[in-house]
Amino acid sequence: MMDWRSVSFGVTAALAMFARWLYRGQRPNALARSINRVAAAVFARGVAPDYLVTLDVTGRRSGRTISLPLVMAVLDRQRYLVSHLGTDVAWVRNVKATAGRAVLRHGRTEHVQLEEFAIEKRAPVLKAHLRHAPGARPHIPVDKDAPLEEFEAIAAQIPVFRVLPAG
């Protein structure tokens, strides 16, 4: 008789491998780009839960608006965006190039200022992010239920931006 836990683990491991394959080299492959376009459109319309948003940011080289789906972490009534793929990803470089100016969409359009969050304060945000972002789990080398000390150890590798009103 097969144990359901081993089947569940096998499926979970396979999904994690698939998620890592979609973002080999910290860049989305063609399939991931297609999935992201659809997800960004759905999130922007406000159809999904409110923590699923579309980030619009100006490309630092092209000057075009780039839209991507993100999971927003909410902790102590503050909102945060997390780059679970690390520091060397296009949206993080674009946000920095625009001095944090961006637009969030989820049924409505909100002009925001993204402020990089201090490394020593990131651990609770990272833990909150993993609770709502199962797709991020294969990319972050800490279990979602790990103690905060483990998140503190990797905080410098994972950019976190606090979402503030534009002004």
Side-chain angles (χ1 to χ4, degrees):
M1 183 172 177
M2 188 175 290
D3 182 9
W4 66 270
R5 288 175 293 213
S6 64
V7 171
S8 175
F9 178 75
V11 170
T12 302
L15 288 174
M17 285 176 37
F18 179 67
R20 285 190 293 272
W21 174 79
L22 286 172
Y23 291 92
R24 259 187 326 219
Q26 308 305 81
R27 305 219 185 295
N29 65 23
L31 178 59
R33 286 191 302 274
S34 296
I35 292 168
N36 285 345
R37 274 192 295 277
V38 171
V42 170
F43 295 1
R45 288 188 177 252
V47 177
D50 63 355
Y51 57 86
L52 301 175
V53 298
T54 295
L55 174 69
D56 292 341
V57 65
T58 303
R60 67 195 178 287
R61 287 188 273 182
S62 69
R64 294 185 334 226
T65 298
I66 298 164
S67 300
L68 66 145
L70 290 176
V71 176
M72 187 162 31
V74 179
L75 187 65
D76 298 329
R77 298 174 57 164
Q78 294 288 314
R79 300 178 301 163
Y80 303 91
L81 296 176
V82 176
S83 173
H84 58 262
L85 293 176
T87 58
D88 190 32
V89 293
W91 80 263
V92 170
R93 291 192 307 265
N94 290 338
V95 163
K96 288 179 179 183
T98 63
R101 289 182 308 278
V103 173
L104 286 181
R105 293 185 293 138
H106 181 85
R108 65 184 176 92
T109 300
E110 178 186 8
H111 292 268
V112 297
Q113 182 70 37
L114 300 179
E115 173 185 273
E116 194 157 8
F117 203 49
I119 293 170
E120 64 275 4
K121 297 180 181 178
R122 291 180 186 174
V125 175
L126 295 173
K127 187 168 183 143
H129 177 68
L130 285 188
R131 276 189 236 121
H132 288 295
R137 293 175 191 162
H139 304 286
I140 295 181
V142 173
D143 185 77
K144 68 180 176 59
D145 297 318
L148 282 178
E149 294 77 26
E150 290 186 35
F151 286 96
E152 289 168 355
I154 62 158
Q157 303 166 26
I158 303 170
V160 174
F161 293 90
R162 185 167 50 173
V163 179
L164 302 169

